[in-house]
Amino acid sequence: MATYCLTAARLQLALGQGARRFHVAAALNAKAKVAMSHFEPNSYINYDKLRSNIDIVRKRLNRPLTLSEKIVYGHLDDPAGQEIVRGRTYLRLRPDRVAMQDATAQMAMLQFISSGLPKVAVPSTIHCDHLIEAQIGGAQDLQRAKEVNHEVYNFLASAGAKYGVGFWKPGSGIIHQIILENYAYPGVMLIGTDSHTPNGGGLGCICIGVGGADAVDVMAGIPWELKCPNVIGVKLTGTLAGWTSPKDVILKVAGILTVKGGTGAIVEYHGPGVDSISCTGENWLKQYLEWLNDNTRTRMATICNMGAEIGATTSVFPFNHRMKTYLEKTGRGEIAALANENQDLLVPDSGCNYDQIIEINLSELKPHINGPFTPDLAHPVSDIGSVAEKNGWPLDVKVGLIGSCTNSSYEDMGRAASLAKQALDKGLKCKAQFTVTPGSEQIRATIERDGFAKVLRDVGGVVLANACGPCIGQWDRRDIKKGEKNTIVTSFNRNFTARNDANPATHAFVTSPEIVTALAIAGTLKFNPETDFLTAPNGEKFKLVPPTGDELPARDFDPGQDTYQHPPADGLDLKVDVNPQSNRLQLLEPFDKWSGNNLEDLRVLIKVKGKCTTDHISAAGPWLKFRGHLDNISNNLLIGAVNIENDAVNKIRNLLTGEFGGVPDVARHYKKHNVSWVVVGDENYGEGSSREHAALEPRHLGGRAIIVKSFARIHETNLKKQGLLPLTFSNPADYDKICPDDKISIVGLKSLAPGKPLKAVIKHSDGSSETIELNHTFNETQIEWFQAGSALNRMKELQKCA
C-alpha cells in the first residue's frame, strides 16, 4: 500500500530550516573535517558525498526519497549509472565501515588472510563478546574466558594489528553497544558480521548484518552487493505511558509481520503524522518532540535491533534532537553539530512513498511478551497467564534475564532498578533467579557508580560479564536438567528452541526488561504488573508503580577500563600464526570450482521439517569455540533440524549403508565416497543469526544445493558466497514431491542466467521420475562466484587478471 511520509516535511517546516539553508551550512563547513570516531582521526565523515549522490539519484528517479533510500543510495558506487528498482535490482554499494564480533571475525579474518591483501580498505573493528560463558559472575567468567580462549583472542588481536583492524578486548562489551557509543552516527552505512547489527538504526544509521565473506568484500575495497530493499513504513502516533516500553513496539510489529514479513525490506519508523493529531504546526511540533523525548535514542536502538527477528534488512529512525544529545553525551559533539547542519539528508523527503505502512498508536499499545520458541508469537502481558495455562506451558518463571544487545542501556538498567528498589523497600526479593548483563564496560562502570548494580544484586540478581552470554547460549545453566520443561523470561531478541540454554524443553519468552524484572520478582507468568498485587513478608498487599529511569546519566558516563587496542600505523611486518595442530583455528583451503556440467544424482542429505534457523543448521553455545576451525565446527551441521522421515533430530538414513546416523557423520561418509548432496527445506530457511558457518559447513562436507520454499536474506547470500546453489521451488507444493531417498539432478547450469529458472529431475527409488522448476536470485556477479567455486575464489581470479 502506498502512503506518504509528511512527518519529516512538517518537522522541517516547523523548525524553519529548508534544504537550501542546510546546503549552504554544509558548504560553509566543508573544510572543517570531522573524524568518524575518536579512534580513527584520519577517516572523515563525508556528508558532501552523501548529498551529491542523493541529488543525482533523486534527479534520476524524479521522486521524493525515504530516509532509507537516501542513506542507501547515498552510498552507491555509481549513482549516475546504477539501475534502481526496489525489490528487484542489485545495488553496488560503498559502506563506510565494518564491524565483526569475535565468533564470526575468526572466519572473516581467515578469509581476508586468504585474499592476500595487505590491509583493510575501510575502518574496521573486532569485538570480543561472544566467547564469554555465563557461569558465576562477571569478573570470574571474564577471567575464565581469557584463559580458555587465549589462542583465539591472540589470533584476532594479531590479525587486527597486521591488517589495520581495531580490536576491542574481552570485557569491552557487546559489539552493538560499542558501535552506538563510538562509531554510529546519522547517515553512516555500516555492515557487521552479526544479524543484530541493525541496532545502529536507533542513531539514524543504515547498519546491516552480513556474513563474513561480505565483510571481506568491503574490507578489500570491493563494492558490496545488496538487493535493492523495499521500504516498510511504521507510523507511530500517541505517547508511551505506564508499563509500555519501546520494546513493545517491535514485539507488536513482530506479531504483525511474522519472522519473514520484513524480508527484503528496510523498516523505517516515522510519525506521528498530521492525520492522527489534529492541531496546529506549533503544537504538533511540541507533541512530536515530547514523543521523541519519551522514546529515547537507546530505546530506538532496541526497536531496530529486534527488527532482525522479522527478517528485515535493517531498521532506521530519522535524525532528531535526542540523537544529537546522545552524540554529545558520548563525547562526539563535533559529529552532533555536523549532523545537525545536514539534517535534511537524515530525514525522509516530503511525499516519499512506502511499499507498506503499519500504524501503531503508542497510547493504545499494551505491554507484550512473545514466545515461546519463536519471537513472533505475540501476547499482551495481561493474557499470557491464561494462554500459558491453556497450552500447558510452565507458569513458574525459573529465571529472569535482562540485558543483551537489545536492552542493556543505562536507561534499561535504571528502569529495572526502580522496580527492584520498590520490591526491596517492601522486603521482597526475586522468586526466580535473576541475571543482569551490562551492554558495555561503560554501562557497567556507570551503573556501578550510580548504584543500580547494587540494587539489582540486592534483589537477587547476578551481574554477568559485559558480553552476549545467555542470549546466544553462552550459559552454563545448572538449575534444571536437560529435557525438563521450564519457563524463562528475557529481554533478549531471539527465543528459538534450545537457543539460550541448550535445553529444547525450555520455554523462552522475550519482553521488556521492566516486565522481566516484574515477573522475576513475582515468579509466575500469571502476574500482570498493571493490575495485580504482590504480597510483602508482613502480609501487606502492594502494586508496583510503573518503572522510571533517566535516558542518560546526570554525571555523564564513566568509561570504565580502557579495553581498546589500536592497530599500528604499519603492520606489514607483523606475523599471524595459526598452529596446524590447533583444534580452534584452521587456515582455509579454496573450495573446488564448478565442473561445468549439470549436477547429477545428488542425494538428499536431509529433508527438513518445519522451522530451520541458523541455530538449527550450525548451533552456537558450546560450538562457538570452533568458529575458527571449519572442519571441527562442521560436526554440528544440521544437528538441530527435524528430519521429516522420522521426526527426529540428528538422525538420518545413510543411503549408501541403509543405517541411521548423525547428519554430519552421514555427510562425511558421502563426501568420502564422492557423493554430492542437497538439503531440502521449508519456509524462511536460515532465519536468525548471520553466521556464515551455516553455509560454509554444507559446502565443506560436500553439499551442492539447498532447495527450499523460501530463504532468509542473509543466509541466501552466504550460500551464494560459498559456491552453493540456493534454490526455491517455483511451486512450493513441490516440496512434497521429494522423498528422503530420492536422487536429484539439477539441469540447465550451463546456461545459468539471472531470472532464468533451473530444472530438477527427481528420481524416485521405485524407478519413476518427475521434473520440477526451481527459481534462483543469482545476478551476473553471483553466477561468477558459483562458477569459480566461491566469492573468495573469484576475488583471487580477478586479482590475477589485474
Side-chain angles (χ1 to χ4, degrees):
M1 177 177 67
T3 189
Y4 297 93
C5 45
L6 302 175
T7 301
R10 291 291 301 273
L11 178 59
Q12 289 182 28
L13 289 172
L15 292 173
Q17 295 179 323
R20 180 175 297 277
R21 174 180 170 184
F22 287 130
H23 182 73
V24 171
L28 290 173
N29 286 274
K31 294 182 180 179
K33 292 183 177 180
V34 176
M36 293 171 65
S37 81
H38 295 308
F39 304 104
E40 295 130 358
N42 297 318
S43 295
Y44 302 106
I45 295 173
N46 195 344
Y47 281 138
D48 289 343
K49 178 70 176 296
L50 187 70
R51 182 180 299 280
S52 174
N53 286 0
I54 290 171
D55 287 345
I56 291 169
V57 172
R58 188 191 285 115
K59 184 176 181 180
R60 285 183 55 207
L61 298 181
N62 193 30
R63 62 171 175 81
L65 302 178
T66 66
L67 171 59
S68 309
E69 291 180 305
K70 285 185 175 183
I71 303 177
V72 172
Y73 303 162
H75 286 83
L76 284 169
D77 182 52
D78 179 14
Q82 171 73 61
E83 183 182 7
I84 302 171
V85 182
R86 291 202 314 218
R88 188 171 70 81
T89 59
Y90 280 88
L91 307 178
R92 291 169 62 81
L93 300 164
R94 293 285 186 177
D96 297 301
R97 65 180 310 118
V98 173
M100 300 167 280
Q101 42 95 336
D102 50 355
T104 50
Q106 296 170 64
M107 198 58 69
M109 292 309 297
L110 286 166
Q111 290 178 84
F112 189 81
I113 291 170
S114 297
S115 74
L117 297 170
K119 189 175 183 178
V120 295
V122 301
S124 303
T125 50
I126 294 169
H127 304 259
C128 294
D129 62 359
H130 270 57
L131 301 180
I132 303 170
E133 184 182 53
Q135 188 180 81
I136 302 170
Q140 303 97 313
D141 294 345
L142 176 58
Q143 183 57 40
R144 188 177 65 256
K146 289 179 178 179
E147 295 168 0
V148 171
N149 301 308
H150 173 75
E151 179 185 12
V152 171
Y153 292 148
N154 181 65
F155 165 72
L156 292 174
S158 60
K162 181 172 179 62
Y163 296 105
V165 179
F167 179 70
W168 287 86
K169 302 172 187 176
S172 302
I174 303 171
I175 178 174
H176 311 303
Q177 186 68 28
I178 297 293
I179 288 170
L180 278 176
E181 293 172 357
N182 299 280
Y183 299 113
Y185 61 85
V188 73
M189 173 174 274
L190 177 151
I191 67 166
T193 60
D194 189 279
S195 58
H196 293 109
T197 300
N199 191 77
L203 202 48
C205 320
I206 291 295
C207 298
I208 301 176
V210 299
D214 277 338
V216 171
D217 281 354
V218 178
M219 292 191 293
I222 297 172
W224 172 61
E225 287 196 339
L226 176 72
K227 194 169 190 178
C228 188
N230 290 315
V231 187
I232 298 173
V234 178
K235 184 178 181 179
L236 302 177
T237 62
T239 304
L240 291 174
W243 284 88
T244 308
S245 79
K247 183 69 166 282
D248 297 306
V249 174
I250 187 58
L251 295 175
K252 178 70 172 180
V253 170
I256 295 170
L257 288 177
T258 76
V259 292
K260 58 180 290 189
T263 302
I266 294 176
V267 179
E268 185 171 310
Y269 291 87
H270 64 282
V274 294
D275 293 336
S276 63
I277 302 176
S278 57
C279 53
T280 65
E282 289 183 358
N283 287 337
W284 172 88
L285 176 62
K286 179 176 180 293
Q287 292 180 38
Y288 183 61
L289 294 179
E290 287 174 350
W291 176 82
L292 290 174
N293 188 59
D294 289 335
N295 295 273
T296 61
R297 189 284 323 153
T298 51
R299 317 260 290 172
M300 289 180 184
T302 292
I303 296 170
C304 294
N305 176 292
M306 201 174 158
E309 271 46 78
I310 57 174
T313 299
T314 192
S315 303
V316 67
F317 276 86
F319 178 75
N320 58 57
H321 78 289
R322 306 310 301 177
M323 296 181 188
K324 180 175 179 290
T325 300
Y326 181 78
L327 287 166
E328 292 167 345
K329 277 281 190 177
T330 51
R332 294 175 286 169
E334 287 186 324
I335 295 178
L338 189 63
N340 199 51
E341 291 166 0
N342 290 276
Q343 61 184 271
D344 65 312
L345 303 177
L346 309 174
V347 295
D349 285 341
S350 174
C352 66
N353 179 271
Y354 293 113
D355 297 287
Q356 179 182 352
I357 189 73
I358 296 170
E359 297 191 24
I360 297 178
N361 186 336
L362 302 175
S363 300
E364 299 174 355
L365 184 63
K366 291 295 185 181
H368 273 62
I369 183 169
N370 289 21
F373 306 122
T374 184
D376 59 352
L377 185 57
H379 320 274
V381 170
S382 57
D383 295 344
I384 190 60
S386 59
V387 172
E389 281 186 313
K390 180 180 178 181
N391 287 281
W393 302 334
L395 290 172
D396 289 345
V397 176
K398 291 290 187 182
V399 190
L401 305 97
I402 65 171
S404 88
C405 63
T406 319
N407 280 109
S408 57
S409 68
Y410 181 82
E411 183 184 10
D412 289 325
M413 297 300 171
R415 287 170 67 88
S418 76
L419 297 173
K421 180 69 164 54
Q422 293 180 54
L424 289 169
D425 287 346
K426 296 293 184 179
L428 279 184
K429 291 191 174 184
C430 291
K431 289 186 178 179
Q433 293 184 45
F434 188 46
T435 70
V436 180
T437 305
S440 68
E441 170 61 9
Q442 178 168 277
I443 295 296
R444 183 209 62 78
T446 307
I447 67 171
E448 289 282 5
R449 181 198 67 191
D450 292 353
F452 297 162
K454 182 180 185 305
V455 172
L456 294 170
R457 288 191 187 96
D458 288 347
V459 84
V462 175
V463 178
L464 301 174
N466 314 322
C468 301
C471 182
I472 60 163
Q474 284 284 51
W475 183 17
D476 184 18
R477 188 180 182 191
R478 299 182 180 183
D479 63 298
I480 51 105
K481 296 178 180 178
K482 189 168 184 178
E484 179 181 342
K485 284 181 66 174
N486 74 103
T487 285
I488 64 173
V489 291
T490 82
S491 69
F492 304 162
N493 41 42
R494 209 164 270 163
N495 59 345
F496 302 142
T497 302
R499 175 176 173 85
N500 302 123
D501 62 0
N503 179 12
T506 292
H507 292 56
F509 296 84
V510 291
T511 184
S512 68
E514 298 94 313
I515 295 298
V516 171
T517 304
L519 295 181
I521 292 169
T524 176
L525 287 179
K526 295 190 73 174
F527 180 69
N528 177 7
E530 291 190 298
T531 59
D532 295 346
F533 289 80
L534 294 169
T535 304
N538 64 2
E540 177 189 356
K541 302 283 188 181
F542 72 98
K543 283 179 65 177
L544 292 170
V545 175
T548 58
D550 293 332
E551 173 193 359
L552 298 167
R555 291 189 285 164
D556 290 336
F557 284 106
D558 182 339
Q561 300 179 38
D562 183 3
T563 53
Y564 179 71
Q565 172 186 294
H566 289 267
D570 184 3
L572 191 63
D573 294 330
L574 299 178
K575 291 185 177 180
V576 181
D577 293 323
V578 176
N579 184 348
Q581 306 305 315
S582 173
N583 71 347
R584 299 288 302 269
L585 298 166
Q586 180 187 48
L587 293 175
L588 298 175
E589 295 291 333
F591 290 131
D592 60 315
K593 294 180 64 172
W594 173 54
S595 66
N597 300 312
N598 292 327
L599 298 175
E600 300 284 353
D601 292 338
L602 304 172
R603 287 292 191 178
V604 176
L605 179 68
I606 181 174
K607 183 178 180 182
V608 178
K609 178 181 178 181
K611 183 187 283 285
C612 190
T613 71
T614 48
D615 282 81
H616 294 88
I617 303 167
S618 177
W623 290 96
L624 286 169
K625 61 179 172 285
F626 298 126
R627 284 285 182 88
H629 197 293
L630 179 55
D631 194 56
N632 282 346
I633 199 168
S634 294
N635 289 322
N636 75 0
L637 175 65
L638 286 160
I639 61 175
V642 177
N643 180 10
I644 199 168
E645 185 177 5
N646 53 15
D647 283 336
V649 295
N650 201 29
K651 186 179 181 181
I652 61 172
R653 189 187 302 275
N654 184 326
L655 297 171
L656 300 184
T657 66
E659 299 176 350
F660 280 88
V663 180
D665 300 324
V666 174
R668 287 187 185 277
H669 189 263
Y670 288 168
K671 181 179 180 181
K672 182 179 178 180
H673 291 83
N674 297 313
V675 175
S676 297
W677 47 264
V678 302
V679 170
V680 178
D682 212 312
E683 295 280 5
N684 208 31
Y685 184 89
E687 71 173 274
S689 168
S690 68
R691 66 193 67 158
E692 66 178 338
H693 300 76
L696 283 160
E697 293 174 33
R699 183 72 164 97
H700 176 64
L701 294 185
R704 293 295 177 182
I706 312 293
I707 306 172
V708 300
K709 293 180 182 178
S710 65
F711 283 103
R713 175 190 64 86
I714 300 176
H715 186 60
E716 182 180 24
T717 301
N718 287 344
L719 292 168
K720 292 177 182 177
K721 288 279 186 177
Q722 303 308 332
L724 284 151
L725 289 170
L727 305 171
T728 56
F729 296 104
S730 180
N731 179 2
D734 287 344
Y735 168 89
D736 297 321
K737 294 180 179 179
I738 298 177
C739 300
D741 60 352
D742 286 342
K743 293 181 180 179
I744 298 176
S745 296
I746 298 173
V747 298
L749 290 175
K750 291 184 178 181
S751 58
L752 179 62
K756 182 180 179 181
L758 296 170
K759 299 289 186 182
V761 179
I762 307 169
K763 302 175 183 178
H764 300 302
S765 58
D766 63 3
S768 63
S769 66
E770 52 190 314
T771 300
I772 62 173
E773 187 175 81
L774 299 175
N775 294 328
H776 66 84
T777 59
F778 280 92
N779 62 24
E780 293 287 358
T781 299
Q782 295 167 347
I783 290 172
E784 292 174 357
W785 300 344
F786 168 71
Q787 293 170 339
S790 71
L792 188 58
N793 287 0
R794 181 57 180 158
M795 182 193 298
K796 292 179 180 178
E797 288 178 354
L798 293 173
Q799 287 174 1
K800 292 178 181 177
C801 295

